[in-house]
């Protein structure tokens, strides 16, 4: 069946289209979903003006939290079937992947080959196309930057079915705007990424338990030669203990540093062993219960531990242990609010934590990281400073108003929120947060003058203008 026939079948089969949301499950909209499994199918679909009139958008694994991967009334191109190619060039340390390949699939090939991709987000179930479109970062951003720095080349299909082969040398503004561009310049069908040698299949972790937010910030500011640096914060602890944390700082193991325990090779391609069922009632997660759990969890870690060897799954993907854990938040879903502020504005971070506590907005999960230099892509999130990611039940009283207030504070001090996780930012704050917005619009205008590439996020924030 051709992509056009399949599209028609999809349209007939799903009268009003499929209901889609981001990982946070707060905002849903309906779209026609067409599954594309080859580059040519993407070109054919984008070349057909009639089909794309109501807007079209690529979607990967749907792991962005907000409304970046959906377009109400339009056509969503599901790219998870475009996942055949993983070509490794060991000599040049490059890998070419189809856009629908996930980190799980890629790592399952790289690690046994003694290779690694240096930028890894907190879940392995995202596609490389989605990762590029969000310009993802890991817990080593100050050292390794975001995925933008790994992109040697990519293939982009734009409205009208035009194909661009963009390289790091000659890709110019279109490449810069596509990386982090949230699918609004076109559809990435494949990419060539830089990888590195993996000295040994493990990481050595230093763990420290802190008693307050101030201690946490002080410890994470120290440069002791770690490559990775992240803290899990307990924001449900009371008073001065709010912001106590488990700080894990780590580095790559070298040959001979890992115990030779004869453990079988790690397989990252498997799904989670436990999955939260659909319809899980949100009321089960109560702040008091989570606070007690956090306390137990915090105490379960050693006060100080040095050089504990861990494998990739535990090091990079602790959240992947449970499948569909977003269902824990029930029908109302969760906000993941991630912002960054410069080092000189750590007070904004501290105030944010205090404001959430004062207004009794429950933060069930909080992760603090450091970010390094920005990469020059106009919609890219990372900039030097502190980034805090907060998981908040969307139905919690006062959550929206408090996050609105935080948006203003973050914008005032030159910080920004991560758009791929956003579902509620006010349009008028966007320019203060992303001052290079003009570059994004200029590049987009050249490849998509009719505003065909659209998303609910793009429409909400004025990133894609009215349909012409
Ligand atoms: C548990 C968890 C942990 C996370 N940890 C991190 C982290 O540590 N660091 C970080 O940076 N992010 C993190 N994220 C966010 C996640 O990495 C990004 O949202 C990523 O974009 C999701 O990829 P996806 O394949 O699910 O894309 P989707 O959610 O399907 O789409 C995301 C965006 O990419 C666009 N897109 C998707 N595929 C393509 C394509 N082929 N061509 C053009 N545009 C495309 C979509 O239109 C959309 O705008 C995390 C998310 C979760 C759920």
């Amino acid at each position: 069946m051709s992509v056009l026939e399949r599209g028609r079948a999809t349209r007939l089969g799903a009268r009003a289209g499929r209901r889609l949301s981001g990982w946070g499950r707060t905002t849903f909209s309906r779209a026609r979903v067409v599954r594309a499994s080859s580059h040519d199918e993407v070109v054919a679909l984008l070349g057909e003006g009639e089909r794309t009139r109501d807007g079209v958008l690529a979607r990967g694994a749907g792991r962005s939290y907000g409304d970046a991967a959906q377009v109400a009334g339009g056509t969503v191109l599901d790219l998870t079937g475009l996942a055949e190619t993983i070509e490794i060039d060991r000599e040049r340390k490059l890998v070419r992947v189809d856009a629908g390949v996930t980190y799980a699939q890629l790592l399952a090939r790289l690690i046994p080959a003694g290779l690694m991709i240096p930028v890894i987000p907190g879940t392995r179930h995202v596609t490389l196309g989605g990762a590029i479109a969000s310009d993802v970062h890991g817990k080593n951003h100050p050292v390794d930057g975001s995925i933008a720095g790994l992109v040697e080349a990519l293939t982009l299909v734009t409205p009208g079915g035009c194909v661009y082969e963009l390289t790091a040398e000659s890709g110019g503004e279109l490449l810069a705007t596509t990386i982090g561009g949230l699918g609004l310049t076109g559809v990435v069908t494949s990419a060539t990424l830089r990888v590195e040698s993996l000295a040994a299949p493990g990481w050595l972790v230093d763990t420290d338990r802190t008693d307050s937010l101030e201690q946490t910030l002080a410890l994470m500011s120290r440069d002791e030669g770690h490559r990775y640096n992240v803290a899990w914060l307990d924001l449900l602890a009371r008073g001065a203990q709010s912001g106590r944390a488990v700080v894990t700082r780590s580095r790559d193991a070298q040959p001979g540093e890992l115990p030779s325990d004869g453990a079988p090779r790690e397989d990252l391609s498997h799904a989670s062993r436990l999955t939260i069922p659909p319809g899980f009632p949100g009321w089960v997660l109560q702040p008091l219960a989570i606070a007690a759990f956090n306390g137990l969890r915090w105490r379960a870690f050693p006060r100080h531990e040095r050089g504990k060897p861990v494998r990739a799954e535990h090091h990079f993907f602790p959240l992947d242990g449970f499948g569909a854990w977003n269902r824990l938040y029930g029908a109302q879903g969760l906000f993941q609010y991630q912002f960054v502020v410069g080092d000189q504005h750590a007070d904004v971070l501290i105030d944010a934590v205090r404001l959430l506590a004062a207004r009794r907005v429950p933060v069930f999960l909080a992760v603090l990281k450091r970010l390094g230099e920005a990469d020059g892509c106009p919609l890219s999130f990372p900039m030097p400073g502190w980034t805090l990611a907060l998981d908040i039940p969307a139905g919690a009283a006062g959550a929206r108003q408090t996050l609105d207030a935080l948006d203003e504070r973050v914008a005032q001090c030159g910080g920004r929120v991560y758009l791929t996780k956003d579902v509620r930012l006010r349009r008028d704050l966007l320019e203060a947060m992303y001052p290079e917005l003009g570059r994004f619009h200029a590049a987009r205008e050249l490849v998509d003058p009719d505003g065909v590439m659209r998303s609910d996020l793009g429409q909400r924030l004025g990133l894609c203008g009215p349909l012409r």
Side-chain angles (χ1 to χ4, degrees):
M1 199 190 270
S2 77
V3 71
L4 305 182
E5 287 163 343
R6 202 158 53 224
R8 246 167 253 133
T10 306
R11 200 164 37 210
L12 290 173
R15 274 167 307 135
R18 225 172 84 194
R19 206 165 161 255
L20 296 173
S21 78
W23 187 248
R25 301 174 71 237
T26 52
T27 307
F28 290 78
S29 67
R30 285 188 182 275
R32 288 177 293 277
V33 177
V34 178
R35 205 168 143 81
S37 49
S38 75
H39 166 85
D40 291 347
E41 288 183 354
V42 175
V43 175
L45 188 120
L46 282 181
E48 206 198 337
E50 178 64 16
R51 292 291 312 284
T52 56
R53 213 183 37 202
D54 300 327
V56 63
L57 182 71
R59 182 174 171 102
R63 267 359 196 232
S64 51
Y65 282 83
D67 53 0
Q70 61 201 57
V71 54
T75 299
V76 164
L77 260 179
D78 171 358
L79 289 175
T80 50
L82 177 48
E84 200 138 286
T85 306
I86 303 180
E87 269 170 24
I88 299 175
D89 179 342
R90 296 182 65 98
E91 288 273 286
R92 296 163 65 212
K93 300 243 170 50
L94 294 175
V95 60
R96 197 171 84 79
V97 288
D98 283 340
V101 167
T102 62
Y103 266 86
Q105 293 163 334
L106 177 61
L107 291 173
R109 289 281 306 280
L110 288 181
I111 294 179
L115 295 169
M116 196 62 186
I117 179 162
V119 176
I120 300 187
T123 171
R124 63 184 185 274
H125 301 303
V126 303
T127 65
L128 271 305
I132 291 169
S134 294
D135 192 16
V136 299
H137 61 275
K139 48 192 176 176
N140 52 343
H141 188 268
V143 178
D144 294 291
S146 58
I147 200 169
L150 306 182
V151 177
E152 286 293 318
L154 58 77
T155 305
L156 179 72
V157 185
T158 62
C162 305
V163 178
Y164 292 84
E165 301 292 347
L166 303 173
T167 66
E169 289 76 42
S170 60
E173 281 295 272
L174 187 52
L175 180 66
T177 307
T178 297
I179 299 175
L182 297 167
L184 296 173
T185 59
V187 179
V188 175
T189 55
S190 68
T192 303
L193 302 167
R194 205 163 40 74
V195 293
E196 63 180 22
S197 295
L198 180 66
W203 287 264
L204 298 179
V205 180
D206 293 347
T207 300
D208 295 274
R209 204 148 45 92
T210 64
D211 294 309
S212 66
L213 183 57
E214 287 71 15
Q215 269 184 24
T216 307
L217 295 175
L219 182 61
M220 290 187 76
S221 302
R222 264 192 238 158
D223 182 1
E224 295 179 5
H226 297 93
R227 186 175 187 181
Y228 310 88
N229 189 359
V230 65
W232 163 73
L233 265 53
D234 179 4
L235 294 189
L236 293 178
R238 294 278 167 122
Q241 286 206 312
S242 173
R244 65 183 179 181
V246 176
V247 179
T248 50
R249 298 172 298 156
S250 50
R251 64 176 177 84
D252 305 321
Q254 297 304 308
E257 285 189 313
L258 295 173
S260 47
D261 56 3
R265 265 192 186 168
E266 192 173 15
D267 176 15
L268 288 168
S269 60
H270 68 80
S272 310
R273 289 178 185 97
L274 290 170
T275 294
I276 308 301
F280 188 90
W283 54 260
V284 174
L285 282 199
Q286 288 297 326
L288 276 178
I290 304 287
F293 171 79
N294 280 357
L296 289 175
R297 185 168 179 226
W298 179 77
R299 278 185 197 86
F301 282 89
R303 179 56 83 177
H304 304 289
E305 185 180 47
R306 293 290 171 265
K308 183 179 178 194
V310 297
R311 297 178 144 238
E313 183 164 8
H314 186 74
H315 188 249
F316 293 108
F317 311 118
L319 284 175
D320 286 345
F322 281 101
W325 59 260
N326 52 348
R327 291 180 185 150
L328 288 170
Y329 288 80
Q332 303 205 59
L334 78 146
F335 293 131
Q336 174 157 121
Y337 185 68
Q338 183 170 359
F339 67 93
V340 53
V341 291
D343 284 331
Q344 69 281 25
H345 294 294
D347 57 311
V348 175
L349 186 87
I350 295 169
D351 289 352
V353 168
R354 289 200 182 127
L355 184 67
L356 288 157
R359 296 198 181 172
R360 296 190 180 278
V361 175
V363 179
F364 288 174
L365 185 69
V367 175
L368 182 64
K369 290 187 284 205
R370 311 276 293 139
L371 294 179
E373 288 307 315
D375 55 29
C377 300
L379 278 195
S380 172
F381 170 69
M383 56 172 256
W386 294 100
T387 181
L388 183 60
L390 308 166
D391 284 9
I392 297 172
R400 275 186 184 267
Q401 297 85 329
T402 307
L403 296 182
D404 288 350
L406 291 183
D407 286 343
E408 295 202 5
R409 197 71 214 282
V410 167
Q412 271 161 15
C413 76
R416 56 179 66 137
V417 300
Y418 195 177
L419 296 180
T420 203
K421 300 187 171 182
D422 175 60
V423 75
R424 31 148 301 283
L425 181 68
R426 266 183 14 225
R427 186 185 280 211
D428 59 294
L429 294 176
L430 189 68
E431 200 156 352
M433 293 185 176
Y434 289 88
E436 303 275 323
L437 218 48
R439 282 177 54 207
F440 168 79
H441 286 299
R444 198 179 124 79
E445 181 68 28
L446 287 179
V447 290
D448 184 17
D450 296 329
V452 166
M453 303 306 305
R454 329 182 56 75
S455 65
D456 289 356
L457 173 135
Q459 273 164 241
R460 180 167 56 80
L461 293 177
L463 288 170
C464 45
L467 262 181
R468 289 178 207 161

